Amino acid sequence: MNHLLVLEKILQMNSFTKAAKALGYTQSSVSQMVASLENEFGIQLLKRSRQGVQLTPEGEKLYPYIERSLRQYQILQETAGAIRGLETGTVRIGAITSVSCYWLPDLFKRFQERYPAIEFVLHQGDYGTIVNWIQDGTVDFGLMTADYGDGLAKRVIHTTEMKAFLPANHPLVKLDRVPIESLTAEPFILVEGGGYSEPLEAFRKAGLTPNVRYRIQDDYTIMAMVEAGLGISMLSELVASRTNFNVVTKSVLPQVKRPVAIAYREKEALPIASQYFMDFLTANQQELI
C-alpha cells in the first residue's frame, strides 16, 4: 500500500523530489517504489516532462482503481481508528466558495477541538465540478445546492437567500425588494454554476431572459465588477457578510433561495472521519447563518 501512497503523493505534488520530502523518503527510494509498481503491473505509469509528472495513457486507465484502493484502505484504517475513538482520519470535501469561506473555518476548528488528529482536504469548485469529484472519489462529499446532482444522496442543512448585488448609486437601491423583471434591463454578471444556476432558474421561472454580459466563477471578482459599475448580479447573501465592497444587496421579488445540502453517494462507504463530520454538520445546522 505504501507504493500506491507514494504514487498518489507524486501526482499531488507534481514532483518526485517534493513527494519524497513530504513523505520522509529519499528520492531514489521513491523512484524505486514507482519502478516496482510498474514492474508489478507490467506498464509504465508515469512520464516526466517540462510541466512535471503526468500519468501515461495506460496509467490514466489504471489510476481510478488505484484511487479506489487507497480510499478503501483509508476506510479500513479509520474504522480501526473509530474503534479506538477516531484518533486519525482525513475528511475530503468539495464546496462552493460561499460555504467554504463563511461556514467551514469555524466548523473545522470546533471539530478538531474534539478530534485533534483529523485532517481536512478542501476543494473549491462549481456545482458540476463538485458532482464530478463526488462521483470519481476525489472528495467524500460535497456542500452545494440540493437542486442539482441527479443520483446523489442529499441532506439539506441550511437554506440561504440569493440577493441582487447592485452598485451603491444604482436607482434600484431605493427599493425594499427588487422585482426580478427589473434586473433584465441591466448588464448581468453571472456566477458560473457548472451545470446549474439559481439566478438563471429564477429568471426562467419568471419567463424572463437576463442580459448576461459576463460569466465569472469567483464571487469576489463579481462584487468588484459590480462596484465598478460594470453590471449587476445575484449572489448568495453569505458573500456580502465579510467584505468591504461598496455594493448594496437587496432581496429579489419573488425571493430566490439556495438549499445548501451535503451531497454524497453512500454514507456507509465513506471514511469514518467523513461520516462523523457529516453528522457534526447536521447537528450544528441551526448555527449556520
Side-chain angles (χ1 to χ4, degrees), residues 20 33 37 39 71 92 144 203 207 221 241-242 248 266 271:
M33 288 185 188
L37 272 179
N39 289 334
R71 297 293 82 78
R92 294 176 170 84
M144 53 178 286
F203 283 116
T221 300
S241 61
R242 296 183 188 175
V248 176
E266 297 178 54

Side-chain angles (χ1 to χ4, degrees), residues 51-83:
Q51 288 73 41
V53 183
Q54 296 175 313
L55 287 165
T56 63
E58 295 80 9
E60 288 179 356
K61 292 179 181 179
L62 190 62
Y63 194 67
Y65 299 97
I66 293 174
E67 284 189 308
R68 200 171 304 163
S69 297
L70 287 170
R71 297 293 82 78
Q72 289 299 317
Y73 181 64
Q74 178 189 355
I75 292 170
L76 174 64
Q77 285 184 311
E78 292 184 8
T79 301
I83 296 172

Side-chain angles (χ1 to χ4, degrees), residues 43-284:
I43 58 175
Q44 182 181 350
L45 296 171
L46 299 177
K47 59 182 178 181
R48 304 192 199 197
S49 67
R50 292 181 179 179
Q51 288 73 41
V53 183
Q54 296 175 313
L55 287 165
T56 63
E58 295 80 9
E60 288 179 356
K61 292 179 181 179
L62 190 62
Y63 194 67
Y65 299 97
I66 293 174
E67 284 189 308
R68 200 171 304 163
S69 297
L70 287 170
R71 297 293 82 78
Q72 289 299 317
Y73 181 64
Q74 178 189 355
I75 292 170
L76 174 64
Q77 285 184 311
E78 292 184 8
T79 301
I83 296 172
R84 301 192 306 270
L86 197 64
E87 294 179 3
T88 62
T90 301
V91 181
R92 294 176 170 84
I93 305 172
I96 53 178
T97 302
S98 56
V99 169
S100 63
C101 289
Y102 299 102
W103 287 352
L104 290 182
D106 181 62
L107 291 167
F108 287 167
K109 180 180 178 181
R110 289 161 55 195
F111 190 77
Q112 287 183 319
E113 287 173 354
R114 188 179 304 179
Y115 305 108
I118 296 300
E119 298 179 358
F120 289 94
V121 177
L122 175 62
H123 298 267
Q124 289 188 163
D126 58 34
Y127 297 146
T129 304
I130 293 171
V131 169
N132 290 336
W133 285 336
I134 295 169
Q135 291 174 338
D136 68 20
T138 299
V139 300
D140 303 322
F141 63 90
L143 293 171
M144 53 178 286
T145 181
D147 294 331
Y148 184 72
D150 292 341
L152 295 177
K154 300 188 186 77
R155 185 192 305 174
V156 177
I157 56 173
H158 191 74
T159 298
T160 60
E161 184 181 356
M162 303 291 290
K163 291 189 173 184
F165 279 62
L166 309 166
N169 60 353
H170 197 282
L172 292 176
V173 303
K174 298 176 183 179
L175 303 178
D176 291 331
R177 293 196 291 174
V178 177
I180 192 168
E181 58 268 20
S182 67
L183 300 177
T184 59
E186 304 281 343
F188 195 85
I189 307 170
L190 181 69
V191 59
E192 283 284 13
Y196 182 81
S197 167
E198 290 92 350
L200 290 184
E201 182 64 14
F203 283 116
R204 186 193 66 78
K205 287 181 178 179
L208 302 168
T209 302
N211 179 23
V212 177
R213 301 285 285 276
Y214 306 93
R215 295 175 181 266
I216 311 292
Q217 283 195 326
D218 182 70
D219 295 326
Y220 300 103
T221 300
I222 291 176
M223 283 191 284
M225 293 174 70
V226 171
E227 182 181 52
L230 292 172
I232 62 177
S233 189
M234 194 186 300
L235 301 170
S236 168
E237 60 185 338
L238 293 177
V239 302
S241 61
R242 296 183 188 175
T243 63
N244 58 359
F245 288 100
N246 188 24
V247 299
V248 176
T249 63
K250 294 286 181 177
S251 293
V252 178
L253 186 66
Q255 200 171 47
V256 182
K257 294 288 191 177
R258 170 188 281 168
V260 180
I262 304 170
Y264 54 96
R265 288 184 298 178
E266 297 178 54
K267 182 181 178 184
E268 293 74 18
L270 296 177
I272 296 297
S274 291
Q275 294 186 39
Y276 273 47
F277 190 67
M278 287 168 60
D279 291 340
F280 178 79
L281 285 171
T282 303
N284 289 274

